[in-house]
Amino acid sequence: MRIVLAPMEGVVDHIVRDLLTQIGGIDQCVTEFVRVSDQLLPPRVFYRLCPELHHEGKTPNGVPVALQLLGGKANPMAENAARAAELGAPSIDINFGCPAKTVNRHDGGASLLREPKRLYEITHAIRQAVPDTTPVTAKIRLGFEDKTLAIENAQALEEAGAKEITVHGRTKMDGYKPPAYWDWIGKIRENLKINVIANGEIWSIANYQQCRKESGSQDVMIGRGIIRYPDLALRIKNYQLNQASEPAIDVFDVLLRFFHSSQQQNKSKRYLCDRTKQWTSLLGIGHPAAMELFHTIKREIDAEVIYRHLLNAKSRVQDSDRMAT
Ligand SMILES: Cc1cc2nc3c(=O)[nH]c(=O)nc-3n(C[C@H](O)[C@H](O)[C@H](O)COP(=O)(O)O)c2cc1C
């Protein structure tokens, strides 16, 4: 019954991981990807993408963070995995699902799903290079153009020593277009001995239940659903445990906490503006008041002005709550 927060390049960094794991319900996180070409990368690259390495690879709330590697060459992937393990990564996760054209052109991510043998070689090399105590996991899609290699790819990962895999229930060609084929995740699971984590299109408790039913997986990974509804993992857990739901979270609190953490971490003004707008727009899909705020700040480039709008939006919500009670 684990819930893993999906890796999301340019969205889920250590600040967001901290915030979301504080809200609760999340059992594991994954970093943004460390891109590996030919070289052994310096430790600072790993620390930049995973500052949690300074704290045994865990968020301040104690949730382990897997270190995600992306690349197509077995040897450098193995060397960098060994370095990540030395620096204290709790586990290594290999990205075989990224659909981005630039990544696929450089022989990484989903493009490797056309060659199960290479999935095996990369995963096997990494498995050999890191200590037995460091789990190696991988994330795949159902295929590149179509699903014909779905089971073969997953079996290659199992044979190579992956401890578990996450399957995003779509091909690279499907992109992010619904639906996610949860039944296909089930077909893969039935052909493996290792654990299969189901991923794709979980936006609600009902989706979660349906995904588990169709895939047969105990564990799920959720990405955009948690960004849009930051307490989704917590609500799912409470529902599973038959516990009363917590009161709905205040999305402006989440945004303000994000803003404060980013300032404390000395993030640039550009980061503050862009990421606050990004998250406001994502939250806005599920929360009309956040969408209203997004329309107010979307062209704003002054972080202080954005902050003032955020405070105003929060106090407007507080006022209307007071009027309602
Ligand atoms: C903006 C964005 C960035 C992503 N970055 C990564 C990544 O770095 N590695 C990866 O394996 N998947 C990445 N994904 C895919 C997600 O991890 C996940 O598989 C996908 O969003 C489907 O799950 P969801 O429907 O719960 O969002 C990304 C997705 C999005 C939308």
Side-chain angles (χ1 to χ4, degrees):
M1 261 185 46
R2 282 184 305 151
I3 299 181
V4 182
L5 174 63
M8 291 175 69
E9 179 67 17
V11 180
V12 180
D13 61 9
H14 70 109
I15 293 178
V16 173
R17 289 193 290 272
D18 178 19
L19 247 166
L20 292 173
T21 53
Q22 271 183 49
I23 292 170
I26 296 169
D27 300 288
Q28 198 191 316
C29 300
V30 186
T31 63
E32 293 168 281
F33 58 75
V34 173
R35 190 194 293 250
V36 175
S37 45
D38 290 313
Q39 290 174 359
L40 177 59
L41 296 162
R44 73 180 139 76
V45 174
F46 295 85
Y47 285 121
R48 179 167 51 78
L49 287 163
C50 188
E52 293 96 337
L53 288 174
H54 292 294
H55 306 279
E56 299 174 349
K58 292 183 178 154
T59 67
N61 236 21
V63 177
V65 182
L67 197 300
Q68 185 195 182
L69 293 180
L70 172 82
K73 292 189 181 155
N75 284 342
M77 285 286 274
E79 276 178 6
N80 281 285
R83 171 152 284 176
E86 262 164 44
L87 296 174
S91 60
I92 307 293
D93 190 56
I94 317 168
N95 176 334
F96 292 127
C98 184
K101 281 208 180 76
T102 43
V103 167
N104 286 195
R105 256 202 314 272
H106 290 97
D107 197 28
S111 64
L112 295 165
L113 297 172
R114 292 180 284 208
E115 299 175 85
K117 188 165 163 278
R118 292 186 63 205
L119 298 194
Y120 175 87
E121 283 165 3
I122 293 167
T123 309
H124 188 254
I126 291 179
R127 184 57 278 166
Q128 298 295 306
V130 302
D132 291 348
T133 46
T134 308
V136 176
T137 62
K139 178 157 172 277
I140 56 172
R141 285 178 172 247
L142 295 175
F144 193 83
E145 281 96 4
D146 58 41
K147 307 180 188 73
T148 44
L149 292 174
I151 293 169
E152 210 178 313
N153 277 331
Q155 285 173 332
L157 297 171
E158 177 172 85
E159 276 164 34
K163 182 173 176 249
E164 64 182 358
I165 61 169
T166 302
V167 181
H168 176 186
R170 279 183 272 240
T171 63
K172 132 85 178 129
M173 296 311 251
D174 293 331
Y176 288 95
K177 200 166 78 198
Y181 298 95
W182 297 324
D183 56 331
W184 265 89
I185 303 176
K187 282 185 203 172
I188 292 176
R189 199 184 52 77
E190 282 160 14
N191 282 279
L192 297 191
K193 290 182 217 64
I194 57 173
N195 189 40
V196 174
I197 303 173
N199 169 237
E201 296 296 321
I202 297 178
W203 304 94
S204 64
I205 295 177
N207 294 156
Y208 167 80
Q209 287 173 297
Q210 192 61 23
C211 172
R212 280 194 53 189
K213 189 166 156 206
E214 288 184 27
S215 66
S217 293
Q218 290 280 320
D219 302 333
V220 300
M221 172 183 274
I222 309 180
R224 294 163 302 159
I226 294 184
I227 299 296
R228 194 182 290 181
Y229 307 105
D231 58 354
L232 178 59
L234 184 62
R235 283 191 286 117
I236 290 173
K237 287 283 172 72
N238 285 339
Y239 173 84
Q240 288 290 106
L241 299 168
N242 276 328
Q243 281 176 1
S245 299
E246 316 272 325
I249 52 150
D250 177 340
V251 290
F252 297 115
D253 259 352
V254 176
L255 287 168
L256 281 165
R257 273 193 278 150
F258 171 74
F259 200 94
H260 290 146
S261 294
S262 308
Q263 274 180 325
Q264 270 164 15
Q265 307 272 339
N266 289 323
K267 293 288 184 188
S268 66
K269 294 256 189 268
R270 171 128 192 236
Y271 175 100
L272 271 171
C273 290
D274 290 354
R275 294 292 180 104
T276 307
K277 286 193 250 181
Q278 178 191 53
W279 210 359
T280 310
S281 91
L282 292 166
L283 285 167
I285 301 168
H287 305 85
M291 189 50 89
E292 202 180 304
L293 172 66
F294 174 67
H295 286 302
T296 312
I297 63 175
K298 65 183 175 194
R299 286 188 226 294
E300 193 50 69
I301 50 166
D302 184 335
E304 293 308 317
V305 176
I306 290 180
Y307 183 63
R308 276 205 300 278
H309 281 298
L310 248 173
L311 288 176
N312 287 342
K314 180 165 170 56
S315 66
R316 268 200 305 276
V317 170
Q318 278 170 337
D319 287 348
S320 66
D321 283 353
R322 260 197 301 274
M323 306 254 280
T325 51

